[in-house]
């Protein structure tokens, strides 16, 4: 007993507290380990979240906000702006989305629209289709198609000129897969775009400033690009779990100009990314977000 010093007592107390925290922390509703990482569904009062690594990949409320797009996809953010613009210009639109998440973007589908998601991880598809956790796909006004596989390969198989907007929203854990941002990848996306169509890249990232690199890469294919760094109001952040979001539009200059006029801005110069060489070190932020 005499050897039980204050230092040892303090250490033991910390261990007990740590074990108490772990034992009382809420277990995930679902945890699936796949080749691509660990995906979890977590529950909080009135909502479900999908988490991979340290990044939230989707949120849906279970109350009256159930049908509202949340997180990165809120109506006041870049996705909402781009899809409202599309709905004004097209009575029936075709939208492609690389990366399913929990299917939040399906909340924007109208009855006459056609929406296709490309997702590489079957576990993510299974979770998004399980209405116990998320119902954006089940509740969509027009039932989206979900294609399993690497989007670069899958998009080679779609007919040319398939989409009015193609949204690049794929994440592996906490980062954007670099092979989806290269010159060769963008060339594949362009084949799938209709005349007047645009690409929308989701580039939110803690460690890399990707907008200059993607804009410079798109420019090698004759495309113009403008970006938006969205910061939600405190009300939207609290009500819909929205956070800062970085997105970039690329397309023909005439099709991008209306967004520049609405306040989107051209990024500065950055490295060109290719399948042979992608200098991502030059895109590192001095401080993480």
């Amino acid at each position: 007993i005499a050897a039980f010093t204050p230092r040892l007592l303090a250490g033991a107390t910390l261990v007990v507290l740590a074990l108490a925290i772990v034992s009382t922390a809420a277990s995930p509703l679902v945890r699936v380990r796949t080749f691509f990482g660990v995906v979890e569904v977590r529950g909080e009062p009135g909502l479900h979240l999908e988490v991979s690594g340290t990044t939230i990949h989707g949120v849906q409320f279970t109350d009256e906000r159930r049908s509202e797009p949340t997180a990165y996809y809120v109506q006041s953010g870049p996705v909402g702006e781009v899809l409202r613009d599309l709905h004004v210009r097209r009575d029936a639109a075709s939208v492609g989305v690389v990366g399913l998440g929990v299917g939040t973007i399906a909340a924007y589908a109208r009855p006459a629209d056609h929406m296709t998601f490309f997702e590489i991880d079957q576990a993510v598809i299974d979770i998004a289709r399980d209405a116990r956790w998320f119902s954006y796909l089940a509740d969509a006004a027009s039932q989206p198609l979900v294609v399993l596989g690497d989007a670069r390969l899958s998009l080679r198989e779609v007919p040319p000129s398939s989409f009015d907007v193609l949204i690049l929203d794929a994440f592996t854990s906490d980062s954007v897969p670099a092979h989806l941002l290269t010159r060769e990848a963008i060339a594949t996306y362009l084949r799938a775009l209709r005349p007047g169509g645009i690409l929308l890249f989701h580039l939110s990232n803690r460690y890399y400033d990707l907008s200059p690199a993607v804009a410079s890469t798109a420019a090698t294919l004759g495309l113009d690009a403008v970006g938006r760094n969205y910061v939600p109001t405190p009300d939207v952040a609290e009500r819909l779990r929205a956070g800062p979001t970085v997105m970039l539009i690329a397309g023909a200059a005439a099709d991008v100009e209306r967004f520049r006029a609405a306040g989107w801005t051209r990024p500065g110069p950055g490295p060109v990314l290719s399948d042979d060489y992608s200098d991502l070190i030059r895109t590192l932020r001095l401080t993480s977000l």
Side-chain angles (χ1 to χ4, degrees), residues 17-215:
L17 288 174
L19 290 174
I21 291 170
V22 170
S23 64
T24 57
S27 298
L29 302 171
V30 176
R31 177 186 285 127
V32 183
R33 182 182 296 276
T34 75
F35 175 81
F36 306 100
V38 177
V39 181
E40 294 184 349
V41 177
R42 300 177 186 172
E44 295 183 9
L47 62 84
H48 291 146
L49 308 93
E50 182 180 278
V51 179
S52 180
T54 60
T55 300
I56 294 174
H57 285 235
V59 177
Q60 186 173 24
F61 289 90
T62 57
D63 56 19
E64 69 278 359
R65 294 166 288 180
R66 168 176 164 159
S67 63
E68 291 197 54
T70 59
Y72 312 106
Y73 314 105
V74 293
Q75 295 187 44
S76 57
V79 168
E81 183 176 349
V82 167
L83 293 182
R84 278 195 305 276
D85 171 81
L86 177 63
H87 291 167
V88 168
R89 296 184 299 107
R90 298 279 192 274
D91 292 330
S94 180
V95 177
V97 185
V98 175
L100 174 62
V102 303
T104 311
I105 294 175
Y108 287 98
R110 301 170 299 176
D113 291 339
H114 180 75
M115 190 170 285
T116 303
F117 288 91
F118 299 90
E119 174 56 52
I120 199 170
D121 193 337
Q122 181 66 54
V124 171
I125 297 174
D126 294 341
I127 289 171
R129 283 177 168 164
D130 191 332
R132 290 178 299 171
W133 319 126
F134 303 103
S135 64
Y136 285 118
L137 294 181
D139 294 343
S142 57
Q143 191 58 40
L145 174 66
V146 180
V147 177
L148 174 65
D150 187 298
R152 279 189 60 172
L153 301 179
S154 299
L155 283 166
R156 293 177 185 173
E157 304 301 321
V158 304
S161 302
S162 290
F163 303 115
D164 297 295
V165 172
L166 182 59
I167 302 174
L168 289 309
D169 187 41
F171 284 77
T172 300
S173 185
D174 305 327
S175 62
V176 183
H179 80 287
L180 296 179
L181 304 178
T182 64
R183 186 180 192 278
E184 293 81 0
I186 295 174
T188 299
Y189 308 151
L190 289 179
R191 172 190 168 277
L193 276 187
R194 292 175 176 172
I198 60 171
L199 305 174
L200 178 62
F201 293 87
H202 184 186
L203 302 176
S204 303
N205 198 280
R206 290 187 179 92
Y207 307 110
Y208 297 95
D209 181 10
L210 295 170
S211 294
V214 176

Side-chain angles (χ1 to χ4, degrees), residues 181 186 201 203 210-221 223-227 248-250 265-273:
L181 304 178
I186 295 174
F201 293 87
L203 302 176
L210 295 170
S211 294
V214 176
S216 295
T217 303
T220 67
L221 295 167
L223 304 180
D224 196 4
V226 292
L248 182 88
I249 289 171
T265 58
R266 289 190 177 93
V272 173
L273 309 178

